[in-house]
Amino acid sequence: MTPSYRSKVSTLLEMGETRSVAKNAVQGLLITSILTSVAAVALETAEEISSRYAGLLGAIEVVVVGMLTLEYALRLWAAPEREPGGTDRPWQARFSYAVSALGIIDLVAILPFFTDLLLPLNQDWLRVLRLLRLLKLARYVSGLALFAAVIHNESRPLFATLMVLVVLLVLNSGVMFVLERETQPKVFASIPHTLWWAIVTMASVGYGDMAPITLWGKVFGGFVMILGIAMFAVPAGILATGFAAEIRKRDFVVTWQTVAKVPLFAGLDAARIAEIARLLKREVVPANYVIVRRGERADAMFFIMSGEVEVDIPPTPLRLGRGHYFGEIALLRDTARTATVTAVSECQLLALEATDFRRLLEAHPDLKESISKVAEQRLSPDR
């Protein structure tokens, strides 16, 4: 069945495993437009540049907004193709995109321009709104999406830490106000004034515009500094743990999907695939790298996620690509490696260590039978 135009547009605009020259060109053009627009906003604030190249900077803004407006319209039109069951409820799918985080960001990227045409805005604040176009990069830069996911996942402990920090700031401000009010009535004029001192002190910034001069004020100020270091270490630890957990989760999902596509495991249910995925360790090797060498002790077998390897089996070397595996023969026979395997191109591999391999085959005899058949075929003279 020939894909519809809407389906083709959706495929062209959305990120995915399938890459093409057209998709790379479209995404490259959009990223370049966003970065060019942000650079133009920054250059507008330099008076000598804005006065000399005002026409060029204005033209860049018009062209970029035109492209981003077209992109938004196409994403809105193609939204039913991205949502399960969306083709049966196209307007509901389009509404879901419009109110999604990425949909709102896409709208905010173009809305200030059209709003300024109808209701002139303060140009400085308009520039700030135009800088928000950088958020569109979250669709293409995985690091930004990862950060947003970590903040969402760890929102409860981060909010609890923030509340504790607010309480400490207020209490510290109140104590320092009492200690320094008589000596420095103009500097520590009130608790709201003193709150600025508490913020810069606990943040270990220490601008020096407000500083205690009494003995007890200095003692308490030193205590607040130490307390601030400890308090800011808490959210840092929460974020570090959150990043590690999110990366592990994403790696597991990728590994699970890869294992599910391996023909050897095609008939397994999700639970068994997940069991195997937990045993695998990701490795990346460059082109021409010798992964295993004939005569070496066998310590693992490997599944190919991407790239291609060459197995030096006489009389004709064997090439294996994505979805294939190697290194199982020596593990099955408990012998040294029977062939040298070299990466033809950069390869992403999943390694299954010898102990896990044997444990897996003991638990699943049918897998042992399938792997043994493939091993016999590879060693057969008339393969």
Side-chain angles (χ1 to χ4, degrees):
M1 182 178 177
T2 305
S4 64
Y5 286 113
R6 193 170 65 186
S7 177
K8 290 179 180 178
V9 169
S10 177
T11 302
L12 199 63
L13 292 175
E14 292 302 311
M15 295 290 290
E17 291 185 4
T18 305
R19 308 298 297 173
S20 66
V21 175
K23 176 180 282 192
N24 290 338
V26 169
Q27 292 178 357
L29 183 61
L30 289 173
I31 293 173
T32 302
S33 299
I34 294 167
L35 296 178
T36 302
S37 170
V38 171
V41 172
L43 292 175
E44 282 181 7
T45 60
E47 187 175 346
E48 64 277 10
I49 295 178
S50 61
S51 59
R52 186 172 182 180
Y53 299 103
L56 176 61
L57 296 175
I60 290 175
E61 176 67 7
V62 171
V63 171
V64 170
V65 169
M67 291 179 57
L68 297 183
T69 303
L70 177 61
E71 179 210 6
Y72 181 75
L74 290 175
R75 288 188 184 278
L76 202 61
W77 176 61
E81 300 294 333
R82 298 192 295 272
E83 186 174 315
T87 51
D88 299 326
R89 299 166 298 171
W91 289 107
Q92 186 174 342
R94 290 178 180 125
F95 178 77
S96 297
Y97 161 71
V99 299
S100 67
L102 290 176
I104 293 172
I105 290 172
D106 290 340
L107 180 61
V108 168
I110 60 175
L111 196 59
F113 177 84
F114 295 107
T115 303
D116 188 52
L117 294 179
L118 302 174
L119 181 65
L121 304 174
N122 180 289
Q123 291 303 303
D124 290 335
W125 285 110
L126 181 63
R127 292 187 183 100
V128 173
L129 293 175
R130 287 162 59 190
L131 290 176
L132 292 177
R133 291 170 187 167
L134 281 172
L135 296 177
K136 286 176 63 67
L137 295 178
R139 184 178 271 113
Y140 311 106
V141 181
S142 58
L144 292 176
L146 176 63
F147 179 76
V150 170
I151 294 297
H152 178 267
N153 295 340
E154 304 298 330
S155 57
R156 291 182 63 184
L158 286 174
F159 181 75
T161 304
L162 178 62
M163 290 297 97
V164 173
L165 188 59
V166 169
V167 170
L168 289 175
L169 285 172
V170 174
L171 291 177
N172 291 338
S173 300
V175 173
M176 184 56 73
F177 167 70
V178 172
L179 293 174
E180 293 290 321
R181 177 182 55 175
E182 293 184 3
T183 308
Q184 302 184 79
K186 292 184 179 180
V187 177
F188 294 90
S190 65
I191 290 179
H193 280 86
T194 311
L195 188 61
W196 172 248
W197 170 87
I199 292 172
V200 298
T201 302
M202 290 194 69
S204 300
V205 176
Y207 288 121
D209 53 342
M210 298 176 70
I213 59 175
T214 66
L215 174 61
W216 289 111
K218 291 180 179 179
V219 171
F220 182 71
F223 169 76
V224 172
M225 292 176 193
I226 297 172
L227 182 63
I229 295 172
M231 279 305 304
F232 277 93
V234 175
I238 292 172
L239 290 174
T241 303
F243 270 106
E246 185 66 20
I247 290 172
R248 281 197 301 270
K249 182 173 72 175
R250 295 189 178 201
D251 283 346
F252 176 79
V253 171
V254 171
T255 302
W256 190 96
Q257 293 173 342
T258 302
V259 172
K261 293 176 183 177
V262 174
L264 177 65
F265 305 126
L268 300 182
D269 57 32
R272 294 177 72 184
I273 291 175
E275 178 188 346
I276 295 169
R278 290 189 184 94
L279 301 175
L280 300 173
K281 297 177 177 61
R282 186 188 296 251
E283 294 184 10
V284 179
V285 298
N288 303 317
Y289 179 83
V290 177
I291 304 168
V292 301
R293 197 180 300 275
R294 182 184 286 107
E296 290 181 344
R297 184 178 65 86
D299 57 357
M301 71 173 292
F302 301 87
F303 298 89
I304 305 173
M305 294 177 64
S306 65
E308 191 177 34
V309 303
E310 183 175 272
V311 185
D312 184 19
I313 302 177
T316 307
L318 175 67
R319 289 207 171 188
L320 303 174
R322 180 177 180 177
H324 291 87
Y325 56 88
F326 60 90
E328 78 287 355
I329 296 175
L331 293 181
L332 283 170
R333 298 185 170 188
D334 197 18
T335 61
R337 297 291 189 190
T338 58
T340 297
V341 181
T342 306
V344 177
S345 60
E346 182 178 277
C347 297
Q348 293 189 39
L349 308 173
L350 294 175
L352 180 62
E353 295 182 353
T355 53
D356 294 329
F357 172 81
R358 296 188 178 93
R359 191 182 304 118
L360 180 65
L361 295 193
E362 289 175 3
H364 306 289
D366 51 333
L367 287 181
K368 182 175 183 179
E369 183 179 349
S370 299
I371 294 176
S372 298
K373 286 181 180 179
V374 173
E376 290 173 3
Q377 292 173 3
R378 290 178 178 175
L379 292 175
S380 175
D382 56 346
R383 57 180 172 83

